[in-house]
């Protein structure tokens, strides 16, 4: 028995900034996906997933929010007891929404009076979905914007204007043959954990200097990147990504694995590529932007790269 597929996502812009009301842009990434399945015999990975689902189901039954959403936890618990697990190719701790896809699958199957992807998705409905998903995903991270599951559930690009204003977005179509520019993922080879990174960020937010930098540099460049990307203004986009990459290197060093600091700096100095965080950082994937993927490949020849979007 197998449920529908839910895809991974990539937050192109907005990591950390969306906590403080910057713009953000998240796109589905169909390379990875997951689905709820049931089997009588479970291997080690499926057994781990089944145990994790039991913890989530227990959390939902003990922390109900009936004004927001009602889950059929009896059915969920019965299905888990019958051998249900989340069969997923989405790497965990890599910033591409492994828990988001699971949350979307649970909502899709067990929420009562659910908002479906076929209806007219008004701003109010999108916000309600985002709130529901934030509540469920907080089980995994302690703090969630709800954005990853929203992206996975809808399988559409999501534009975040602010915490209370999200909409589905059209992104410029990819130019695979004409241009050399690309957005790519660089595999750090390290599993990252969201909660410790978010805790570091929240501690830093207690400092006036950091808060000012976030508002005057980080959010400013993030918002400009979102606008440039959506309008297809590639020249301005790369100018702003360079500034954003530099700001992250200067002020978010704990979120960048130390062995990548020099590589990050090299990209800014040579303009061959610019790196930024993919999700909360600390490992997993690092997001790269380049105007010439051939040059970036050469400079990053020791690393595994995956193209996710062509300019």
């Amino acid at each position: 028995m197998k449920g529908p597929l839910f895809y991974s996502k990539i937050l192109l812009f907005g990591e950390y900034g969306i906590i403080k009301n910057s713009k953000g842009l998240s796109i589905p990434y169909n390379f990875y996906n997951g689905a709820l399945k049931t089997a009588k015999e479970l291997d080690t990975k499926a057994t781990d997933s089944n145990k994790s689902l039991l913890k989530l189901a227990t959390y939902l039954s003990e922390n109900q929010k009936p004004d927001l959403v009602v889950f059929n936890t009896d059915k969920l618990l019965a299905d888990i007891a019958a051998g249900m697990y989340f069969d997923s190719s989405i790497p965990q701790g890599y910033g591409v929404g492994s828990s988001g896809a699971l949350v979307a699958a649970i909502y899709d199957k067990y929420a009562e009076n659910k908002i479906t992807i076929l209806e007219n998705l008004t701003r109010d409905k999108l916000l309600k979905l985002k709130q529901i998903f934030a509540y469920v995903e907080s089980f995994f991270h302690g703090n969630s914007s709800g954005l990853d599951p929203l992206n996975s559930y809808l399988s559409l690009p999501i534009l975040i204007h602010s915490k209370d204003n999200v909409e589905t977005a059209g992104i410029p179509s990819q130019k695979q043959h004409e241009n050399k520019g690309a957005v790519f993922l660089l595999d750090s080879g390290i599993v990252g954990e969201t909660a410790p990174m978010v805790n570091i960020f929240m501690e830093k937010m207690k400092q006036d200097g950091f808060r000012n930098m976030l508002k005057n540099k980080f959010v400013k460049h993030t918002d400009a990147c979102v606008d440039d990307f959506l309008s297809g203004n590639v020249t301005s986009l790369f100018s702003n990504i360079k500034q954003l990459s530099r700001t992250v290197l200067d002020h978010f060093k704990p979120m960048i694995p130390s062995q990548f600091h020099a590589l990050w700096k090299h990209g800014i100095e040579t303009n061959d590529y610019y790196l930024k965080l993919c999700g909360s950082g600390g490992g997993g994937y690092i997001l790269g932007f380049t105007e010439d993927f051939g040059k970036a490949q050469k400079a990053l020849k020791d690393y595994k790269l995956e193209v996710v979007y062509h300019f």
Side-chain angles (χ1 to χ4, degrees):
M1 200 175 84
K2 183 182 172 185
L5 287 176
F6 291 91
Y7 296 106
S8 55
K9 62 81 218 184
I10 291 171
L11 184 63
L12 285 181
F13 305 105
E15 71 292 336
Y16 292 108
I18 54 174
I19 297 174
K20 292 295 155 196
N21 263 358
S22 78
K23 285 186 178 180
L25 182 64
S26 182
I27 61 170
Y29 184 41
N30 297 355
F31 189 75
Y32 297 119
N33 59 60
L36 289 168
K37 285 187 183 175
T38 303
K40 286 192 169 67
E41 299 288 323
L42 301 182
D43 62 17
T44 309
K45 190 182 171 197
T47 302
D48 289 346
S49 172
N50 179 265
K51 285 177 183 168
S52 176
L53 281 179
L54 181 58
K55 286 178 188 165
L56 173 61
T58 308
Y59 169 81
L60 291 176
S61 61
E62 290 173 357
N63 297 276
Q64 293 190 37
K65 293 199 174 181
D67 294 344
L68 184 62
V69 62
V70 174
F71 285 101
N72 186 342
T73 48
D74 290 345
K75 185 175 185 319
L76 173 57
L77 285 162
D79 287 349
I80 292 165
M84 189 173 76
Y85 65 101
F86 191 59
D87 183 31
S88 172
S89 65
I90 308 169
Q92 290 186 355
Y94 263 67
V96 285
S98 57
S99 60
L102 169 56
V103 169
I106 293 290
Y107 176 79
D108 181 62
K109 191 167 181 183
Y110 297 100
E112 297 183 356
N113 304 314
K114 70 178 182 185
I115 297 166
T116 73
I117 56 174
L118 299 172
E119 56 197 83
N120 177 21
L121 290 166
T122 60
R123 187 178 136 188
D124 285 347
K125 283 181 186 171
L126 285 172
L127 273 180
K128 183 162 188 193
L129 276 172
K130 188 170 169 285
Q131 286 173 328
I132 291 167
F133 291 145
Y135 146 62
V136 181
E137 199 180 35
S138 64
F139 164 75
F140 295 101
H141 303 313
N143 193 331
S144 166
S145 67
L147 193 62
D148 288 4
L150 182 64
N151 200 297
S152 192
Y153 185 63
L154 301 178
S155 210
L156 291 166
I158 306 285
L159 171 61
I160 304 103
H161 293 284
S162 66
K163 271 185 197 164
D164 302 322
N165 187 356
V166 294
E167 63 177 324
T168 56
I171 60 173
S173 57
Q174 298 196 49
K175 300 176 175 67
Q176 242 154 317
H177 304 298
E178 305 141 53
N179 294 5
K180 306 184 221 167
V183 183
F184 60 89
L185 294 174
L186 185 157
D187 187 347
S188 73
I190 304 159
V191 175
E193 278 189 65
T194 299
M197 295 296 119
V198 173
N199 290 342
I200 291 169
F201 175 78
M202 290 306 192
E203 278 302 307
K204 282 176 169 282
M205 283 300 290
K206 292 174 183 173
Q207 303 161 18
D208 286 346
F210 187 82
R211 283 201 305 274
N212 289 334
M213 174 284 302
L214 200 78
K215 184 176 150 194
N216 299 323
K217 283 188 177 176
F218 188 77
V219 170
K220 180 183 147 195
H221 295 313
T222 296
D223 287 359
C225 283
V226 171
D227 293 340
D228 289 341
F229 186 88
L230 290 174
S231 63
N233 189 343
V234 176
T235 309
S236 177
L237 172 66
F238 276 94
S239 165
N240 279 304
I241 286 172
K242 183 174 185 175
Q243 299 294 334
L244 186 58
S245 183
R246 185 178 279 130
T247 303
V248 172
L249 183 61
D250 289 346
H251 301 283
F252 289 79
K253 270 210 169 74
M255 287 76 166
I256 305 169
S258 55
Q259 60 268 51
F260 289 93
H261 291 181
L263 205 66
W264 203 286
K265 191 163 176 255
H266 181 75
I268 294 165
E269 287 170 350
T270 60
N271 300 314
D272 286 349
Y273 57 86
Y274 304 122
L275 300 178
K276 66 180 287 296
L277 297 174
C278 180
S280 55
Y285 285 119
I286 294 167
L287 206 49
F289 290 76
T290 180
E291 290 184 86
D292 186 335
F293 188 61
K295 264 188 188 171
Q297 271 183 307
K298 217 172 184 176
L300 300 167
K301 64 181 187 304
D302 298 333
Y303 299 90
K304 188 174 150 227
L305 310 181
E306 287 172 31
V307 174
V308 297
Y309 185 88
H310 288 275
F311 290 105

